[in-house]
Every structure is written in C-alpha cells, then in structure tokens.
Amino acid sequence: MNKVFAILWKDILSELRAKEIAASVLFFAILVIVVFSFAFDPEDDTIGLVAPGVLWVAFTFAGVLGLNRMFAMEKEKGCLEGLMLCPVDRDIIYWGKMAGSFIFMIIVEVVVTPIFLVLFDLPLFMPELALIAVLATVGFVSVGTLFSALATNTRAKDVLLPILFFPIVIPVIICAVKASEVAFDGKPFGDMLSWLGIMGAFDVIFLVVSSLVFEFVIEE
Amino acid sequence: MNQTNSLKYNLLLGLSFVLIMASLALVFLYAPTEKEMGEIQRIFYFHVPLGWIAFLAFFVVFVSSILYLRNRDSKWDTLAHSSAEIGVIFTTLVLITGPIWAKPVWGSWWEWEARLTSSLVLWLTYLAYLLVRSYAREESRGARFAAVMGIVGFINVPIVYLSVRLWRTQHPPHLVDTLEGSMLLTLLIGVAAFTFLYVLLAYHRTTLMNQARKVRILRQTLDEREE
Amino acid sequence: MDNLDYLFAAFAVVWIGIFGYILFLSRKQRLLQREIESLEARVSKRGSHEA
C-alpha cells in the first residue's frame, strides 16, 4: 500500500512542478463547454435537455487528454523504465497511476463543474453530482490507465487511446449522463440508483480486470 | 494437409454448403409469411443468426486471448485475430441489415434499440481490437495488446447491454419467444449454416495467417544469410 | 406491405459481404503463393551457387 502512495506522491510532485497538463486539460474542458454553448442556443429551452450530455462529453474528452499525457510524460523522460525496475509488483504501478489520474480528473471536475452550472443556469449546490462524478471518474481511469499505458508503447499513441477508450466507456457515459439528468431535473435520488449501480459494477469489474492484465501491457 | 485433415475439411465444406442451401430454401420457400411485417420479416432468418454467430466469434476471441496471455502460444493469438476479423464482418452485416429491416417496419432507419446499439458498440470495440495490432511496434507486442483489448471488450458486453437497455426502454417484440414451429426450424437451420460458415472461414483465415508467418520467418532467415 | 426490394437489398448485402471476404482471403492466398515461389527460386539459386 505504501508503494502505491509512493508512486502517487511522485506523480503529484512532478505535476505540481510542471503544472503543464493540469492547466491545459482544465482549459480544454472549459473550451468544450463553451463551444457546445454556441452549438446549441443557450436561450432556448432545449439547452436543459442537452446540458448533462455537454458536461460529460467535456469530461470524457478532457479525460482522454489527461490520460494520454499520464504515461507519455514518463516515456519521454525515460521514467517508465525506472518505474519498471522498481522491486514492486506490476499492479502496484497500476494502482498508483490510477490513483494519480483519479485525483487529477477530480480536480479538473471540481473546477469546471461550477463554471458549467453557471453557464447553463443550473442550481449550484448538488451533492448527488459529486457521487456521480466519483463513480464515473473511477470508471474512466480504471480502463483509461490501462489503455494509456498500452497506447504509449505503440506508434500512434495519440490516436489509439481514444479509439480504445471510447467504446469501452460508453456504459459509463450513458449512466453518468442519465444520472446527471435526474439531478438537474431535481427528481428524487431513488431515480438515479440504477444508473449509479451500473457505474459501480463497471468500476469494480474494470478495476479488478485492469489490474490483472496491466502487467501484459507494460512488459517489454 | 494430411489425409484425415483433408477428409475432415471436405466434410466441413460439404456440410456448410448443404446447410446454406437448405437455409436459403427454408427462408424463401418454406417459412410462412409473417402476418404483421410481411415478406420483409424474412431478413430475420439471416440477420439474427449473423448476430449470434458474431457474438460467438467474439467469445472465441475472449477465450483465446486469455489462453494466449497464459501460454504465449501464437496459435491462440492467430485464432483470436481470425475470429475477431470474421466477427467484425458479421457484425457489419448485422448493422446493415438491421436498418434495412427497421425502415419499412418502424419507419426509421435506426432505432437506438438495445440489441442493435450493443452490436454497434461491439463493432467499434473489435475494430479497435484489429487496429491495436497494426499500430504496435513488434508483432508479439501487438498480439499482447490485442489480447488485452479482447478480454476487456468482451467483459464490457453485458454492462453495455444492461445500460443501453435501461437507457432505451422501448422494446420491439422478442420474436424468438413467440416463433411458431416452422419459423423456429428455419431460424435454427440458419444458425447452423452460419456456424459452419464461421468455422470454415476461421479455418481458412488461421491457415493463411500461419502460412504468412512462416513465409515471413523464412524470408528473414534468407535475407540474413545472403547478407 | 411486401417490401421485397428491402428484402432483396438485405439479402444481397449479406452475400456480397461474405463473398467479398472470401475473395479477399483468396487474394491473400495468391499473393502468399507468389511469395513462396520467389523464395523457392532464391533457395534453389543459392543451392546451385554453392554446388
């Protein structure tokens, strides 16, 4: 467990020093939301119908961008080899990197969501949204970390990650959008339970499966 | 190919041919015209088997991917690769015949219906599976990466189906439950015919891949010696 | 309510798809065959060279 934290801490430290990824991903997420606001008329009633979709498209795209950089940076600086030489199990590396991506994405979401809620004129205080975000983000990073490590070892890493990532996370996107819709419409919490349940199942299944197959992805 | 193998192969070929012919005859001559949908419902007898066999093909990809990661025997990788290719082709045909069926019956080309949508997700997943391989730097690495995608993609299927089903609650009637005898027989022969076709194609594809690998190795050793 | 044209289109698509794949396979097979022949030629040339 300590080893997981060591990898996580290393990522946080290097991120704090560089700040490059966080800033650009944040900016990108905000841009997606703004571009969508122009694509749909914000004065129109239909905006309420597309709002949950806009939020999650922004997070999905921003997530891919962040995940892409996660291992690419290690690769460029030759750190992945160093990490591989560490006397730890491969799945420790997975859990450390996964936790790093999770914290990173949550930070992006914490900053972007209020901006989104203001732009789309939605209630600012929605505790359910935090739960949805945590479940969806775990889903994203569980497979995202695996595919990010896979894609860095190929010739077309920038293209390959979204190609692998999007088809797999479709259930998470559907559930996150539908659950957010329930939250935005102010419907009772019970209405979103089945969506949260599917996301929870996705998270558990893919955390286990990804940590098991991770070793095959980074093996030289 | 030795004697028994070629006998088995000819048997397979003959049976596939007979089954396909029988299936065609049943679909167009024997099965009664459906009361509500009319002639167009005959699409069902090849649309549904193609979907089922595509799913079977992806299950084969899943199992052989696990076996490949365990044993590192390239025969499992070849089987997974061939099966994925055939599965993608069958899914493509499902995705084309689906809208052709939907247009006259439901009045629109595409409905975000649970099974059709799941097929679309499957199609995207296994296209990605085929792409990973071509982007890898070395063959063995591509095989490993593809195997990972083959496992993750298949495990995702029930979750996709569940979420899409919940997402789109309207269902077309479950035709299979209410099928009368002659229609069921036609369907089953269709399933058998496409299963044989799948085995036949998979056999050809794996043989071709194995030969191609051998030729590649041969050429490499020849190149090295001539240098 | 017959829609025979739709039925025909679907049917044609399926068999064109499957035959297309078979054609693709046999083309691959032919290319492979040609390569084997060129390799054989190289091997026999080497053989006569050494002899």
Side-chain angles (χ1 to χ4, degrees), chain B residues 20 24 28 36 39-40 43 46 85 89 93 96-97 100 103-104 197 205 208 211-212 215 219 222-223 225-226, chain C residues 1-4 6-7 9-11 13-15 17-18 21-22 24-25 28-29 32 35-36 39 42-43 46:
Chain B
I20 289 168
L24 286 179
F28 290 105
E36 280 166 39
E39 298 289 350
I40 192 72
I43 288 182
F46 39 95
E85 204 173 279
I89 287 171
L93 298 177
I96 297 173
T97 50
I100 295 177
K103 183 69 181 171
L197 188 66
R205 194 71 187 98
L208 212 55
Q211 283 174 350
V215 167
R219 195 183 43 215
L222 259 176
D223 285 346
R225 280 195 201 164
E226 274 174 16
Chain C
M1 206 36 197
D2 265 358
N3 299 307
L4 281 173
Y6 283 96
L7 181 63
F11 184 77
V13 163
V14 168
W15 289 105
I18 289 168
Y21 186 60
I22 292 172
F24 162 79
L25 287 186
K28 272 208 140 112
Q29 175 83 62
L32 204 60
E35 187 155 1
I36 290 172
L39 282 176
R42 271 168 71 181
V43 170
R46 260 171 59 95

Side-chain angles (χ1 to χ4, degrees), chain B residues 28-41:
Chain B
F28 290 105
L29 303 174
Y30 170 71
T33 307
E34 218 259 349
K35 283 191 285 297
E36 280 166 39
M37 296 186 227
E39 298 289 350
I40 192 72
Q41 184 266 347

Side-chain angles (χ1 to χ4, degrees), chain B residues 23-68:
Chain B
S23 159
L24 286 179
L26 288 176
V27 170
F28 290 105
L29 303 174
Y30 170 71
T33 307
E34 218 259 349
K35 283 191 285 297
E36 280 166 39
M37 296 186 227
E39 298 289 350
I40 192 72
Q41 184 266 347
R42 289 179 202 275
I43 288 182
F44 169 84
Y45 302 116
F46 39 95
H47 172 80
V48 171
L50 276 170
W52 288 359
I53 304 307
F55 188 76
L56 172 77
F58 296 142
F59 179 67
V60 171
V61 176
F62 174 63
V63 174
S64 23
S65 295
I66 294 174
L67 289 171
Y68 175 70

